[in-house]
Amino acid sequence: MKKIEAIVRPEKAADVIKALDEIGHPGMMISEIEGYGRQHGKDDKVMGKKYHIDLITKTRIEIIVKDNDVKKISSAIREASFTGGIGDGKIFIYPVDDAVRLRTNEKGEDAIY
Ligand SMILES: Nc1ncnc2c1ncn2[C@@H]1O[C@H](COP(=O)(O)OP(=O)(O)OP(=O)(O)O)[C@@H](O)[C@H]1O
Ligand SMILES: [Mg+2]
């Protein structure tokens, strides 16, 4: 099993969730985060005054899937979140050792699907 962690633009989150619901997934976690990538935030201008924002709000979508589904889910996230502009976000993929469905005590993939 793997955890797919996608950091996307908040304004793209609804499209990403819709795309994932259409192709099917076993569940997801959504949270609002703040962070920055290699540009270290962004420069902005309000009423002629320049200032720098360090932390930019993004939406984090986390899904635990079986190894075979990683490609399909990652591609759907990329297609739905893509603008081509700086700050489109990232996908991180982590190994998951185990899972437990608390109600039934099922383990591993049985706990996910
Ligand atoms: N190396 C990293 N480690 C942890 N979080 C990261 C990392 N890179 C990006 N992030 C998170 O992902 C968000 C989006 O990153 P972002 O799309 O700006 O990446 P980037 O590498 O700067 O690419 P781009 O050049 O397209 O902006 C950041 O706000 C931060 O929350
Ligand atoms: Mg960036």
Side-chain angles (χ1 to χ4, degrees), residues 51-108:
Y51 65 101
H52 184 81
I53 306 170
D54 288 314
L55 294 171
I56 298 171
T57 302
K58 299 281 176 186
T59 301
R60 177 174 58 204
I61 300 168
E62 294 162 277
I63 305 184
I64 317 301
V65 295
K66 56 178 182 245
D67 290 13
N68 272 346
D69 281 352
V70 170
K71 241 186 178 162
K72 181 178 81 173
I73 300 271
S74 304
S75 303
I77 293 171
R78 177 151 197 272
E79 276 163 36
S81 61
F82 183 85
T83 73
I86 279 172
D88 262 359
K90 282 217 167 87
I91 296 179
F92 302 106
I93 301 188
Y94 308 84
V96 172
D97 286 342
D98 206 355
V100 181
R101 178 173 281 121
L102 292 175
R103 178 173 60 84
T104 57
N105 208 23
E106 290 162 287
K107 306 274 170 43

Side-chain angles (χ1 to χ4, degrees), residues 28-45:
M28 63 171 71
M29 298 180 256
I30 310 283
S31 44
E32 188 181 281
I33 61 143
E34 291 187 319
Y36 55 80
R38 59 184 176 173
Q39 290 83 12
H40 244 268
K42 64 173 181 187
D43 294 314
D44 214 338
K45 211 174 177 183

